[in-house]
Amino acid sequence: MNYFFFYPPGGQYIRGEDRCQVAVSDLAATSMRPPLDLAYMAAMARQAGHRVWIRDYPAEGKSWQDYIRDLQDCKPDVLVMSAISSSFADDMQAFAVAREINPAILTLAKGAPFLEGVEEVMTRHPELDVIIRGEYKPIFQEFVRTGIEDCRGIVYRRADQIVINPPMPLTYALDDFPFPCRALVANERYVRPDTGEPQTTIQAAEGCPYHCTYCLAYQLDGHRIKRRSPESIVAEMECCVTQHNIRNFFFRADTFTANAAWVKALCTQILKSPISGQISWVANSRVDTLDAERLQWMKAAGCWLVALGVELGYDEGLKRIRKGTTCSQAETAMSLLRQAGIKSYGFFMLGFPWERKTEVMQTIEFAKQLRCDFYEFSIFVPYPGTEIYKEMRRNGIAVPDMQNHHHARAGAGTPHLTAEELMQLRKLALRTVYLRPAYLFDRLREMAKDRRAAVNYCRYGMKLLRNII
Ligand code: SF4
């Protein structure tokens, strides 16, 4: 069979990571990420003997006409999309277009929009045949091996009925999946923001033991962390270097630094590999899972940046979102990163239902004091399926229409702040942290040392200025 995996034409969103859906054009210092989910599924389909194509239309700068031409040329039997809430109507339109070209085509979608109300979605969208519910890798692997009826974790149509198959247990091992099919990805389109060099994402672990009320990670991947073996991760990195000339990596893991022994084992494996010294990488972390020894290993193995979900600048708020961390832990984490010579990327949120301007200003002020190297301020999005979404529904608090609401664009206000106020506060936050004289001085110093970084800092600086002024 012919399988066609794609992100539809339109806005440039971060799609593959279901817990974060945002338009890249609105972000301060982030570039497009490769379609790792499509590449994983394509590798599984190929392994099962099917022909496969991958297209990321927004990243490749391609249009709806290109999409139609591809459908006519490739003649897919199965069309697989990673859908997101913010562009859901357009996403489904892509299936409708394909159905007009080939009424017999099978359309399949994965993504966060399917955590709740699948029957309603299927009823409203007759152009959608199959939904993957939950973590896609084990479900899709079973789908290509067994077909629809015996595949756990999917929802599909049988005649006029909508059938919900039993869920897929989260007992798989990440090492059992094939490496993502990067040979079919336009790898040069996905770059490290500061150097412009190709960068790819490596799925290092999945699942999160914490309970942050706004987060989809544990809804999708469960509370138990599933880690890949260091040998498997490094083998994939070596393949990226030797076959695709990619030397920059983003380790995708809900909590990369949670287990010190695993971090040390992975760093040791990287240091033993022939690619050691030729590669750089970044990872996500929580502020309470860093220490000097872990960071020393990470730095030695090529880590140059750690992204931290600080979220709020007041402890009462951190308790309300059940983050399980404190402002003082965030301060300690930043200071450990500085001592280790690793850059920091601080992530903050604003616009929780109880927040007034006073609380948001506390977060902005705290962010400024932390002196991160890079910042992002996300407008709070109550994703269906999260604890906070359920709480809002229980308490009669309106949830915004996801079609127009994402982390960088408020489609609706909160009980205390209008959408316009949220947008203005986000801009104020970005102006406060990025236009500080000390911050600008530090960046200028770096630019003076590295001309290539200077070009990219200027490019991102211009984009940031357009967004915040
Ligand atoms: S620590 Fe919290 S925000 Fe981070 S992945 Fe886990 S639940 Fe989500």
Coordinates of all heavy atoms in Angstrom, one line a residue, residues 1-6 42 51-55 73-76 184:
M1 N 0.8 -1.2 0.0 CA 0.0 0.0 0.0 C 0.9 1.3 0.0 O 2.0 1.2 0.4 CB -0.9 0.0 1.3 CG -1.9 -1.1 1.3 SD -3.5 -0.5 1.5 CE -3.6 -0.5 3.3
N2 N 0.3 2.3 -0.5 CA 1.0 3.6 -0.4 C 0.6 4.5 0.8 O -0.6 4.8 0.9 CB 0.7 4.4 -1.7 CG 1.4 3.8 -2.9 OD1 2.2 2.9 -2.8 ND2 1.0 4.2 -4.1
Y3 N 1.5 4.8 1.6 CA 1.2 5.6 2.8 C 1.8 7.0 2.6 O 3.0 7.2 2.3 CB 1.9 5.0 4.0 CG 1.0 4.0 4.7 CD1 0.9 2.7 4.2 CD2 0.4 4.2 5.9 CE1 0.1 1.7 4.8 CE2 -0.3 3.3 6.6 CZ -0.5 2.0 6.0 OH -1.2 1.1 6.7
F4 N 1.0 8.1 2.8 CA 1.4 9.4 2.7 C 1.3 10.2 4.0 O 0.2 10.3 4.5 CB 0.6 10.1 1.6 CG 1.1 11.4 1.1 CD1 1.9 11.5 0.0 CD2 0.7 12.6 1.7 CE1 2.3 12.7 -0.5 CE2 1.2 13.8 1.3 CZ 2.0 13.9 0.1
F5 N 2.4 10.6 4.6 CA 2.4 11.2 5.9 C 2.6 12.7 5.7 O 3.6 13.1 5.0 CB 3.5 10.6 6.8 CG 3.4 9.2 7.0 CD1 4.0 8.3 6.1 CD2 2.8 8.6 8.1 CE1 3.8 6.9 6.3 CE2 2.6 7.3 8.3 CZ 3.2 6.4 7.4
F6 N 1.8 13.5 6.4 CA 2.0 15.0 6.1 C 1.5 15.9 7.2 O 0.7 15.5 8.0 CB 1.3 15.3 4.8 CG -0.2 15.4 4.9 CD1 -0.9 16.6 4.7 CD2 -1.0 14.2 5.2 CE1 -2.3 16.7 4.8 CE2 -2.4 14.3 5.3 CZ -3.0 15.5 5.1
A42 N 6.4 6.6 9.4 CA 6.9 6.2 8.0 C 7.8 5.0 8.1 O 7.8 4.1 7.3 CB 7.5 7.4 7.3
R51 N 5.0 1.4 0.8 CA 5.7 2.5 0.2 C 5.3 3.8 1.0 O 4.1 3.9 1.3 CB 5.3 2.7 -1.3 CG 5.9 1.7 -2.2 CD 5.5 2.1 -3.7 NE 6.3 3.2 -4.1 CZ 6.1 3.9 -5.2 NH1 5.0 3.6 -5.9 NH2 6.8 4.8 -5.6
V52 N 6.2 4.7 1.2 CA 5.9 5.8 2.1 C 6.4 7.1 1.5 O 7.4 7.2 0.8 CB 6.5 5.6 3.5 CG1 5.9 4.4 4.2 CG2 8.0 5.5 3.5
W53 N 5.7 8.2 1.8 CA 6.2 9.6 1.5 C 6.0 10.4 2.8 O 5.1 10.1 3.6 CB 5.3 10.2 0.4 CG 5.5 9.7 -0.9 CD1 6.3 10.2 -1.9 CD2 4.9 8.5 -1.5 NE1 6.3 9.5 -3.0 CE2 5.4 8.4 -2.8 CE3 4.0 7.6 -1.1 CZ2 5.0 7.4 -3.7 CZ3 3.6 6.5 -1.9 CH2 4.2 6.5 -3.2
I54 N 6.8 11.5 3.0 CA 6.6 12.4 4.1 C 6.6 13.8 3.5 O 7.5 14.1 2.7 CB 7.8 12.3 5.1 CG1 7.8 10.9 5.8 CG2 7.6 13.4 6.2 CD1 8.9 10.7 6.7
R55 N 5.7 14.6 3.9 CA 5.7 16.0 3.5 C 5.3 16.9 4.7 O 4.3 16.7 5.3 CB 4.7 16.3 2.4 CG 4.9 15.6 1.0 CD 6.0 16.3 0.2 NE 6.1 15.8 -1.1 CZ 6.7 14.6 -1.4 NH1 7.3 13.9 -0.4 NH2 6.7 14.2 -2.6
D73 N 0.2 12.6 -7.9 CA 1.4 11.8 -8.3 C 1.6 10.5 -7.5 O 1.9 9.5 -8.0 CB 2.7 12.7 -8.2 CG 2.7 13.8 -9.2 OD1 1.9 13.8 -10.1 OD2 3.5 14.8 -9.0
C74 N 1.5 10.7 -6.2 CA 1.8 9.5 -5.3 C 0.7 8.5 -5.2 O 0.9 7.4 -4.8 CB 2.2 10.0 -3.9 SG 3.5 11.2 -3.9
K75 N -0.5 9.0 -5.4 CA -1.7 8.1 -5.4 C -1.7 7.3 -4.0 O -1.7 6.0 -4.0 CB -1.7 7.1 -6.5 CG -1.8 7.8 -7.9 CD -2.1 6.9 -9.0 CE -2.3 7.6 -10.3 NZ -1.6 8.9 -10.5
P76 N -1.8 8.0 -2.9 CA -1.8 7.2 -1.6 C -3.1 6.5 -1.4 O -4.1 6.9 -1.8 CB -1.6 8.3 -0.6 CG -2.0 9.6 -1.2 CD -1.8 9.4 -2.7
L184 N 13.6 10.6 4.3 CA 12.5 11.2 3.5 C 12.1 12.6 4.0 O 11.1 13.2 3.7 CB 11.2 10.3 3.6 CG 11.4 8.9 2.9 CD1 10.1 8.1 3.1 CD2 11.8 9.0 1.5

